[in-house]
Amino acid sequence: MIFSIFTKSIKEQLRNFWILILTVLMAPFFVFVYFLINESSQPHYDILVLNLDQGMQQGGTQLTLGDSIVPALKDHIVSMENAPLDIKSTPSRERAVHDLETRKAEALLVLPAEFTQSIMGPDPVAAEVEIVGDLTSTGYLISAVWLGALVENYLADISQKAPLYSVKETALGHSDQVDEFELFIPGMLILSIIMLMFSATVAIITEVDQGTILRLKLSGMKAWQFLIGVGATQVIVGILAILLTLATAASLGFEMRGSLGSFFLIAILTSISMIAFSLILAAMTRSVTDVLVVGNFPLFLFMFFTGAAFPISASPWFHVGNYGVSWQSLMSPSAAISALNKISIMGMALGDVWGELLVLAIVTVAYFLLGLWSFNKRHLQTN
Amino acid sequence: MITVSHLKKNFGELIAVDDLSLEINQGEILGFLGPNGAGKTTTIRMLCGLLEKDGGDISWDTTQNLSEAMGVCTQENIFWPRLTCLEQLIFMGQMHKMSRIAAKSRSLEILDVLGLASKKDTLASKLSGGMKRRLNIALALVHDPPVLILDEPEAGLDPQSRILVRDLIQSLARKKTVILTTHNMDEAERLADRIAIIDKGKLLEVGSVEDLKQSLGTGDFLEMRFRDNLESMFQNEDSAAWQLKQSLESTPELSAARINFSGDKLTIRSTQALEKLSLVTDAVGTVDLEILDIQLRKTTLEDVFIHLTGRALRE
């Protein structure tokens, strides 16, 4: 009986073309959109240098540090891999301020007339350089920090003094190899399964909408048999959707760093969770039209408050393993996204995410119990 | 035999089925008649196990679960629009625990009987209205149930399909117990072995068509249709209709007859109705009324139905 329901459900799903397309293509579409956003918004900071340095005579020759600072800073930038900076000279303060105001540059470094004298003169004093910019701009803040470090390095070079400290940066997991686009992918992968909410609910509620639930009830079919038959189809749709999303992400540069087995386990668990949630949604609706209207509310919640579309993280109430349980955990995709982040970005093993898996399983069981009770009460009861 | 004893169902204040008792014999076709809201569907839903009863008992004399032994052809066409005719019949057969091979063989047979063999691979949503109706009947028959409930099976069918379905129902006689609900008195009269008439949740009468007709007494109907609405003229005691009524009621030969004015129609039920015709036409001749049509007919099931349930329209 379950196999008959499963094969019937597969046929209907394949013939319900538009719902299938909506379910499997939504997340790949979002991946592509994030890729485009990421590509068009790579950070880049232009820094201007206004050289007013008059220099000084040293051993019969004119020495002007200001003249050599721009090429020297550029050399430093080259030595700093991936630093998104560009240093340019500017002829006047007025021109520089105009460029800052029109966002053609983020910061202006002004070298004073006595710059060389202050550093290289017989009585060295601290050279007073000026940094100009819009203090409310994040671009300025980042540029100013970079600029401070660059000037410090330059001065250490010319004064031939060893730096007082050096910094060694250690990346956590594979975070040194991950760009901003890749950080969004685990959320997108789970979004592809969140979309299952629509096709699963439609598959269930269609039987109510077209009245065929009556025929199924007369056949003596049990609710759990129906749910397993329909659910199996939806797990396949869920796997298809997440694979398509993963393929899209991989083709745009995403690299899966954890094990594929762990990835599939999380995908299947999340699919089952969404099917369980679909039962609750089916209990709240009577027709396919209802599903497409009412279903948007949980979709928004799951999309925007679980970290699927934006990285939101609430303060935890308590911890299960390494997973912080918060109000977000009431939405099962939240735990799934956390687990997938750790596996696909940090390269962690399944044992490192047992907290997430446990919470995901508990919330799924809660969804199932609530869904089964409410669906039975609304659509299967005989009084 | 299916035995229904003191069946009750309330929906809040509304008494939908009120102490209904009925025996349905194995192999008979029982016509289940009643106006809208009479309680037919509620009774049938309780018979099928789709609705819990508030009181009474439903039993039948085999060990098989009654609801699973039933095939139901609902008033609305209920099928899977994205499955072909054959696919959904096989599916329904399998849901009733038939093997796939048996379900397929039975499905093809039913499709052939109902004139849908050429449409076996067509999606149900692509069928015409009449074909959808026949598919609905096929879905009720596919698992070869011993009890068949047909709710308005001829509704929406063209005359050819109606004959085909009627022949099918007649062919089921004696092989299956058929409960047939319909508003079509002609359909019920032609097909049913017995008729049960229900109204306001109560069983009013049950018996063969002839028994029910006999319950109205002997005699035929004489019907006359007039150009004017007679009923509306009764407010005025000087009106022609009023004078005609007085005249007929004072005629000694018509003292035993049932005289009824309804709209533009005068109906007289009497023995030897034909012999009373001249008396009536004479009475009409004395007043200013024009006869459009005269009919002399036998008692019909509709007469019984109207007699038992009244003429008032139902919501």
Side-chain angles (χ1 to χ4, degrees):
Chain A
M1 190 179 269
I2 292 172
F3 185 72
S4 304
I5 297 169
F6 169 70
T7 50
K8 166 198 158 283
S9 180
I10 285 276
K11 283 175 192 164
E12 288 185 310
Q13 188 67 70
L14 290 172
R15 289 167 190 171
N16 199 354
F17 194 67
W18 289 110
I19 291 285
L20 187 63
I21 291 283
L22 175 74
T23 306
V24 300
L25 288 189
M26 182 85 154
F29 171 78
F30 267 93
V31 167
F32 193 62
V33 168
Y34 272 102
F35 174 76
L36 291 180
I37 292 171
N38 191 57
E39 281 294 289
S40 61
S41 62
Q42 288 286 357
H44 186 82
Y45 308 103
D46 283 315
I47 296 171
L48 303 174
V49 177
L50 178 59
N51 180 17
L52 303 175
D53 186 14
Q54 299 294 315
M56 61 175 279
Q57 287 292 319
Q58 194 180 50
T61 54
Q62 174 71 17
L63 175 65
T64 309
L65 295 177
D67 291 346
S68 61
I69 196 167
V70 170
L73 293 183
K74 284 192 175 203
D75 286 346
H76 272 288
I77 291 169
V78 171
S79 71
M80 297 158 57
E81 283 178 28
N82 300 325
L85 297 173
D86 195 12
I87 307 281
K88 292 174 191 165
S89 293
T90 184
S92 69
R93 189 177 183 98
E94 290 73 26
R95 172 70 184 274
V97 168
H98 177 265
D99 285 351
L100 291 174
E101 286 173 344
T102 54
R103 302 280 181 204
K104 286 178 183 163
E106 301 295 340
L108 165 67
L109 173 70
V110 182
L111 303 177
E114 63 284 3
F115 182 67
T116 306
Q117 185 69 43
S118 306
I119 297 164
M120 305 299 284
D123 301 311
V125 291
E128 196 171 290
V129 296
E130 181 189 5
I131 299 178
V132 184
D134 174 4
L135 269 60
T136 62
S137 154
T138 313
Y140 165 75
L141 295 173
I142 293 168
S143 302
V145 170
W146 280 110
L147 206 44
L150 284 171
V151 171
E152 204 172 305
N153 286 340
Y154 169 71
L155 292 177
D157 278 355
I158 60 166
S159 61
Q160 294 181 333
K161 286 180 185 168
L164 292 174
Y165 69 96
S166 66
V167 175
K168 181 190 170 207
E169 197 175 35
T170 304
L172 206 57
H174 297 276
S175 59
D176 58 332
Q177 300 153 27
V178 176
D179 63 19
E180 208 173 341
F181 166 68
E182 290 188 279
L183 287 175
F184 281 105
I185 299 305
M188 290 296 108
L189 291 169
I190 296 301
L191 175 66
S192 69
I193 299 179
I194 292 173
M195 290 306 295
L196 200 61
M197 181 199 305
F198 282 103
S199 67
T201 313
V202 166
I204 296 166
I205 209 68
T206 298
E207 301 288 352
V208 176
D209 197 11
Q210 67 199 12
T212 40
I213 192 89
L214 185 136
R215 291 208 183 284
L216 297 176
K217 280 197 275 187
L218 283 170
S219 73
M221 177 205 74
K222 303 285 181 290
W224 62 268
Q225 292 171 319
F226 174 65
L227 290 175
I228 292 176
V230 172
T233 306
Q234 294 307 315
V235 169
I236 291 173
V237 174
I239 297 292
L240 180 70
I242 201 167
L243 282 179
L244 204 57
T245 309
L246 185 61
T248 308
S251 71
L252 296 172
F254 175 74
E255 190 187 334
M256 169 65 74
R257 290 173 178 87
S259 91
L260 272 178
S262 306
F263 167 77
F264 276 114
L265 178 71
I266 293 168
I268 290 169
L269 272 177
T270 315
S271 297
I272 292 171
S273 189
M274 279 300 97
I275 291 162
F277 184 81
S278 301
L279 262 182
I280 301 174
L281 189 55
M284 293 164 68
T285 52
R286 278 209 165 271
S287 66
V288 174
T289 314
D290 284 352
V291 173
L292 296 178
V293 175
V294 179
N296 279 304
F297 293 98
L299 175 67
F300 288 151
L301 287 174
F302 285 1
M303 242 178 114
F304 297 119
F305 292 96
T306 59
F310 302 109
I312 291 178
S313 184
S315 304
W317 294 331
F318 57 91
H319 282 81
V320 177
N322 296 321
Y323 177 58
V325 177
S326 69
W327 58 266
Q328 283 182 298
S329 312
L330 298 173
M331 297 176 279
S332 59
S334 184
I337 291 165
S338 173
L340 214 52
N341 259 317
K342 288 178 181 173
I343 284 173
S344 66
I345 302 290
M346 313 298 275
M348 289 183 175
L350 208 54
D352 299 318
V353 295
W354 69 265
E356 279 89 343
L357 296 182
L358 182 63
V359 171
L360 180 58
I362 291 171
V363 175
T364 300
V365 169
Y367 284 172
F368 250 120
L369 292 176
L370 180 62
L372 211 54
W373 173 78
S374 52
F375 186 78
N376 250 314
K377 192 170 170 60
R378 181 87 194 270
H379 298 304
L380 294 178
Q381 255 183 14
T382 54
N383 52 13
Chain B
M1 180 190 285
I2 301 169
T3 308
V4 179
S5 314
H6 307 290
L7 195 62
K8 284 179 187 167
K9 183 70 192 177
N10 299 340
F11 295 109
E13 296 291 302
L14 177 76
I15 301 168
V17 177
D18 187 7
D19 198 32
L20 188 143
S21 296
L22 179 67
E23 285 182 349
I24 305 164
N25 302 317
Q26 192 175 348
E28 81 168 335
I29 300 177
L30 178 78
F32 203 47
L33 308 186
N36 291 337
K40 301 188 297 290
T41 305
T42 306
T43 305
I44 281 174
R45 286 176 71 87
M46 286 191 282
L47 276 174
C48 299
L50 293 172
L51 194 63
E52 267 178 28
K53 52 191 184 294
D54 290 339
D57 191 39
I58 299 167
S59 61
W60 81 318
D61 51 9
T62 76
T63 53
Q64 198 176 359
N65 182 313
L66 181 57
S67 62
E68 287 178 28
M70 281 186 176
V72 180
C73 168
T74 50
Q75 198 169 341
E76 310 82 35
N77 292 329
I78 293 179
F79 50 76
W80 289 270
R82 289 191 181 85
L83 295 184
T84 67
C85 297
L86 183 60
E87 281 170 349
Q88 57 195 297
L89 286 172
I90 293 174
F91 169 65
M92 213 55 236
Q94 288 180 300
M95 292 302 286
H96 283 278
K97 301 179 180 68
M98 292 172 85
S99 71
R100 187 180 160 77
I101 294 170
K104 186 174 183 182
S105 159
R106 172 74 179 158
S107 302
L108 290 169
E109 185 189 323
I110 294 285
L111 286 170
D112 190 41
V113 169
L114 284 164
L116 290 170
S118 63
K119 299 289 178 184
K120 69 182 172 70
D121 296 323
T122 304
L123 289 181
S125 58
K126 307 275 183 198
L127 298 176
S128 69
M131 287 175 178
K132 284 176 180 167
R133 192 79 196 128
R134 281 184 268 154
L135 176 62
N136 205 37
I137 295 169
L139 281 164
L141 285 167
V142 70
H143 56 294
D144 201 13
V147 181
L148 192 61
I149 293 178
L150 302 172
D151 196 357
E152 298 281 349
E154 294 187 9
L157 289 177
D158 55 60
Q160 287 81 2
S161 300
R162 206 176 299 150
I163 291 167
L164 188 131
V165 169
R166 203 172 286 167
D167 289 347
L168 172 73
I169 296 170
Q170 274 168 337
S171 75
L172 297 173
R174 259 41 82 198
K175 295 176 198 156
K176 293 184 189 300
T177 305
V178 180
I179 302 170
L180 174 74
T181 77
T182 180
H183 286 109
N184 185 338
M185 300 295 153
D186 183 47
E187 180 185 13
E189 202 167 341
R190 281 170 192 249
L191 294 171
D193 298 316
R194 287 193 308 147
I195 302 281
I197 298 178
I198 177 176
D199 194 18
K200 295 171 184 159
K202 284 183 180 294
L203 182 69
L204 301 178
E205 202 75 64
V206 62
S208 69
V209 174
E210 284 313 309
D211 287 347
L212 292 177
K213 286 179 183 174
Q214 289 295 324
S215 70
L216 280 190
T218 53
D220 299 324
F221 281 86
L222 177 60
E223 279 182 356
M224 285 186 181
R225 201 162 58 82
F226 292 86
R227 183 169 297 283
D228 302 303
N229 186 322
L230 307 184
E231 214 172 351
S232 65
M233 294 164 78
F234 284 137
Q235 290 163 352
N236 180 2
E237 292 192 5
D238 294 329
S239 67
W242 183 264
Q243 287 170 18
L244 175 62
K245 187 169 183 277
Q246 295 299 313
S247 168
L248 292 175
E249 284 174 356
S250 60
T251 305
E253 291 87 344
L254 294 173
S255 58
R258 287 185 193 166
I259 301 168
N260 182 268
F261 289 87
S262 173
D264 61 353
K265 200 186 278 184
L266 163 65
T267 308
I268 297 171
R269 186 159 198 274
S270 170
T271 51
Q272 297 170 317
L274 185 60
E275 290 173 16
K276 309 291 186 324
L277 178 60
S278 59
L279 291 170
V280 179
T281 51
D282 286 350
V284 172
T286 62
V287 294
D288 185 21
L289 288 172
E290 185 186 348
I291 300 170
L292 294 180
D293 184 36
I294 298 174
Q295 269 193 0
L296 186 67
R297 61 170 179 79
K298 297 276 183 198
T299 305
T300 63
L301 189 58
E302 186 170 303
D303 297 321
V304 179
F305 185 83
I306 294 294
H307 171 71
L308 290 171
T309 62
R311 288 181 174 273
L313 292 173
R314 307 304 167 94
E315 288 184 0

